[in-house]
Amino acid sequence: MKTIGILTSGGDAPGMNAAIRAVVRAAIYNNIKVMGIRRGYNGLIYGDLFEMDITSVGDIVHRGGTILHTDRSEEFKTEKGQKKAKNIIEVFGIEGIAVIGGDGTIKGGKDLAQMGTPVVCIPATIDNDVNCTDYTIGFDTAANTVLDAINKIRDTVQSHQRANVIEVMGRGRGDIALYAGVAGGAEHIIIPEVSFDLNDLCKRLIQGKDRGKQSHIIILSEGMYNVNEFCLDIEEKTGIETRATVLGHIQRGGNPSVFDRILASRMGYHAVNLLRNGISNKVICIKNNHITDIDINKALTMEKAFDNELFDISMVLSI
Ligand code: F6P
């Protein structure tokens, strides 16, 4: 293999740059030319490519975001868009592509594979919702960002003896809420995977208050309730003054954690090894701290068991 392409697509995630660096450096080390594709699949459609050298990925391992920029391309989902992309792939002599992103990016990778382009997918999203891997690049950093926010909010909540409902991202997956919530000692964690009863939550808050609890932190996964109305309901039922915090896109930025940088480096290195050995149409994953890969079609149909035990632990430890 002489030339490969690389792109990032979908929501950005801390550690994407470390993954880009790993792919580019491992490829160049093996005498493979790398074409950087800007703005995800849109860059493939519109020919927005440039050759990357060793220095083009210098000084980025510690930076959040993606130097290749990202997009969610609607056009690439169409036959016309895919034909344009295929033409660009041929014009630039690209023999394999590494795509970095979440579920949508991997679906795009499947389309590339169906068009006859060898592809490897590197899972990167703060949501941790790629089912074939234990962890996605960016999840650990995002969970730590939420944890930092919980710690700070806890200070002011404690001073005022209030409750605070912190809404976090996750796009239908409760992992950010669950991990950061357990680590931050949240009094309650509300996630899509587990049914929830407002009266039960309020009973627990009142019991805590009666026992002398000075602060109450509730972590709420996005898209489940209107957070301001939710606070009013809690206030009405418990008499505890309750404020709302929506963390939003702060969760997507920042310097990647050690875990995410190492994960990105290992996955990027593995991706290049697959391509140069003629193996493609795979999603890279980490299972029990072992880097491996799985067929794209299989990866996209896999289910991931929810960590019930961690949720149970959170309920026991937050009494
Ligand atoms: O998939 C990453 C994510 O940050 C989700 O957690 C969130 O629901 C969504 O993207 C937000 O998307 P946007 O950046 O388009 O607002």
Side-chain angles (χ1 to χ4, degrees), residues 131 173 175 193 302-308:
N131 290 342
R173 182 66 69 96
D175 284 17
E193 292 88 344
M302 277 174 82
E303 301 278 324
K304 192 176 188 178
F306 173 68
D307 194 346
N308 276 312

Side-chain angles (χ1 to χ4, degrees), residues 11-19 60-66 100 123-127 136-143 145 249-257 259-261 263-264:
D12 61 351
M16 276 184 164
N17 278 328
I60 65 165
V61 72
H62 62 292
R63 281 171 51 194
T66 160
I100 305 171
T125 162
I126 63 165
D127 302 329
T136 55
I137 297 165
F139 165 67
D140 182 68
T141 306
T145 299
H249 288 82
I250 193 172
Q251 294 161 96
R252 288 247 293 270
N255 306 127
S257 63
F259 183 87
D260 280 331
R261 294 185 204 192
L263 183 62

Side-chain angles (χ1 to χ4, degrees), residues 10-12 72 125-127 129 168-172 176 222 249 252:
D12 61 351
R72 293 185 173 101
T125 162
I126 63 165
D127 302 329
D129 62 350
V168 304
M169 283 184 168
R171 207 183 51 134
I176 295 178
E222 66 176 350
H249 288 82
R252 288 247 293 270

Side-chain angles (χ1 to χ4, degrees), residues 182-259:
V182 171
E187 273 61 37
H188 211 96
I189 301 167
I190 303 163
I191 52 179
E193 292 88 344
V194 179
S195 62
F196 161 75
D197 177 37
L198 181 64
N199 289 325
D200 179 52
L201 162 66
C202 291
K203 207 169 109 195
R204 283 166 60 95
L205 291 179
I206 290 166
Q207 278 167 355
K209 184 184 167 194
D210 291 346
R211 244 189 30 251
K213 267 201 184 194
Q214 304 288 309
S215 63
H216 313 267
I217 298 279
I218 297 128
I219 308 294
L220 173 66
S221 287
E222 66 176 350
M224 296 186 66
Y225 298 100
N226 175 306
V227 67
N228 291 311
E229 286 172 14
F230 193 70
C231 287
L232 288 177
D233 286 347
I234 292 175
E235 217 169 81
E236 200 175 288
K237 284 180 187 286
T238 63
I240 302 170
E241 199 179 4
T242 307
R243 294 281 197 266
T245 308
V246 178
L247 292 182
H249 288 82
I250 193 172
Q251 294 161 96
R252 288 247 293 270
N255 306 127
S257 63
V258 172
F259 183 87

